């Protein structure tokens, strides 16, 4: 597997000045996925914005991992509801256009 879409956890932690155990705890809560290749651990690049939000929640706002897990779950739920609302609004527009015609 190529490391093209991955970032080394050690490098990420050094850049953000955080402990490796922070990422391990996020993985334990199912909030991130750690990829192991050739005895090294990586994160998917697409996870980085979410991880950076979790870093701010934990280090700046002092929210524990249980709180981060709850917040992440609620944000995912809100995103799903917003997507469903957009789909429903689009269907309603189509229905209204057919009623006018």
């Amino acid at each position: 597997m190529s490391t093209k879409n991955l970032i080394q956890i050690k490098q990420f932690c050094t850049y953000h000045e955080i402990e490796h155990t922070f990422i391990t705890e996020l993985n334990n809560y199912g909030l991130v996925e750690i990829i192991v290749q050739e005895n090294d651990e990586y994160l998917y690049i697409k996870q980085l914005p979410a991880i950076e939000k979790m870093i701010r929640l934990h280090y700046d706002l002092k929210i524990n991992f249980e709180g981060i897990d709850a917040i992440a779950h609620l944000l995912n739920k809100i995103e799903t509801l917003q997507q469903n609302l957009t789909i429903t609004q689009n269907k309603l527009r189509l229905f209204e256009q057919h009623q006018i015609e």
Side-chain angles (χ1 to χ4, degrees):
M1 178 184 227
S2 169
T3 60
K4 186 173 119 177
N5 294 319
L6 303 173
I7 184 166
Q8 188 179 38
I9 292 177
K10 190 184 320 178
Q11 179 184 9
F12 180 82
C13 291
T14 301
Y15 178 80
H16 287 284
E17 298 177 350
I18 61 171
E19 295 293 322
H20 186 279
T21 54
F22 178 78
I23 302 297
T24 304
E25 279 298 310
L26 292 178
N27 183 62
N28 291 342
Y29 278 88
L31 297 169
V32 298
E33 183 180 352
I34 294 176
I35 308 301
V36 179
Q37 287 186 357
E38 300 173 10
N39 296 326
D40 217 347
E41 295 178 321
Y42 297 88
L43 297 166
Y44 287 112
I45 290 176
K46 66 182 180 181
Q47 298 181 107
L48 298 187
I51 295 170
E52 289 168 343
K53 286 179 189 175
M54 292 180 224
I55 289 170
R56 288 191 298 278
L57 288 171
H58 184 71
Y59 289 101
D60 296 347
L61 300 177
K62 308 296 185 221
I63 297 175
N64 63 17
F65 291 102
E66 291 84 2
I68 293 172
D69 186 33
I71 291 168
H73 173 73
L74 291 172
L75 289 174
N76 287 336
K77 186 79 166 173
I78 289 170
E79 184 179 335
T80 300
L81 290 171
Q82 287 176 331
Q83 290 171 352
N84 289 340
L85 178 60
T86 300
I87 290 168
T88 303
Q89 288 173 331
N90 290 339
K91 287 180 180 179
L92 179 60
R93 278 191 210 99
L94 285 173
F95 178 75
E96 288 173 341
Q97 286 176 355
H98 281 66
Q99 292 296 324
I100 294 172
E101 295 173 358

